[in-house]
Amino acid sequence: MKIAVFSTKTFDRQFLEAANLDNQHDLAFFDPHLNKDTAILAAGFPAVSIFVNDQADATTLEVLASRGTKLLALRCAGFNNVDLKAAEYFDLSVVRVPAYSPNAVAEYTVGMMLALNRKLYRAYNRVREGNFSLDGLMGFNLHGRTVGIIGTGRIGAIVAKILQGFGCHILVYDVYQNPEVKALGIKYVELSEIFTSSDIISLHCPLTPETHHLINTDAIEQMKDGVMLINTSRGALINAKAVTKGLKSGKIGSLGLDVYEKESDLFFEDLSDTIIQDDVFLRLTTFPNVLITGHQAFFTEEALRNIAETTLGNINEFEKTGDCKNLIRVER
Ligand code: NAD
């Protein structure tokens, strides 16, 4: 099948081309994000593949459908950037990679907690400048601390398991109770208890209308003083302005972000020669107790191989049967 691959990076090309050795697809790689202006590039391509910061809104989908696209193949798990109702209306099927490597994201999340707590990012810079002072580098033991996990699907469940190994007390909240997590002896609690009782809060739920700005002023006010907040899920789970206020007042003791609400203008690009216009983002980068990375939690060899193989597998299945086990269906 002819596949237009949007938001192509070197690693996408490398892993998709390797996965395509067992297939006969005709892959065309495009650097830009998919949006209403770039959708025309996919004219005549029955399949279009996109990633987390592409915008598959109704206008974009209409352009794709009117030029012959039948399948939108996401190279990611989250699908908050796709207007599913519009896709259905324009007779476009949407498939995704539901779990390319939950371990990659879970391990990264715990790495972020450790780096932030023990200020490894500050220590690294200090030592390179011959500054061996320990002032400002004090952390706390994870052992015995309470960690609240919001969302106990594939990633959240692994984070819970890893942190149990550290001797943390785990509290979890989800709209659905995962039997695997319950089997670990972990307690499901109300969201308010996660906020009031946790020393560390880690977000692992999808971005939906219900979870949009889940971490807002009201939620932050309920949290323990000095709470550590980690978001490796989706940027808009957090209201960045409310979090900035929480950091300024000291309510939030530290913040680790691998995602950011307006990341599509920033992440995955080298902007070191440009003037970044997003003042909210720039303010966040000025705090010594904030660690931000550019959506790299998924970025392991295993995950990239899995993404490429599953994406092409989804396209093969759709081509043969008109259906796919990883099809995203519109909820009614
Ligand atoms: P998953 O679907 O396995 O789990 C998500 C869990 O969230 C489910 O258990 C679901 O019931 C729960 N949930 C849904 N609505 C909720 C709500 N209102 N409140 C609390 N919980 C709710 O997904 P996953 O594979 O564990 O991924 C979690 C998120 O991580 C994804 O949605 C994606 O946004 C993000 N992600 C980030 C990266 C990265 O590189 N940073 C990579 C992959 C996934």
Side-chain angles (χ1 to χ4, degrees), residues 100 105 150-155 173-176 204-206 211 232-234 258 295 297-298:
Y100 35 91
V105 182
I150 301 178
T152 54
R154 297 174 188 90
I155 297 169
Y173 169 76
D174 198 312
V175 288
Y176 160 81
H204 300 288
C205 54
T211 60
T232 58
S233 196
R234 281 293 180 267
D258 185 50
H295 208 138
F298 73 99

Side-chain angles (χ1 to χ4, degrees), residues 139-185:
F140 55 82
N141 285 6
L142 280 184
H143 186 271
R145 294 285 173 158
T146 299
V147 183
I149 295 173
I150 301 178
T152 54
R154 297 174 188 90
I155 297 169
I158 299 171
V159 171
K161 213 183 288 179
I162 296 173
L163 289 173
Q164 261 196 336
F166 276 84
C168 296
H169 173 55
I170 315 287
L171 297 176
V172 293
Y173 169 76
D174 198 312
V175 288
Y176 160 81
Q177 300 201 354
N178 182 346
E180 237 183 82
V181 173
K182 286 171 91 173
L184 297 170

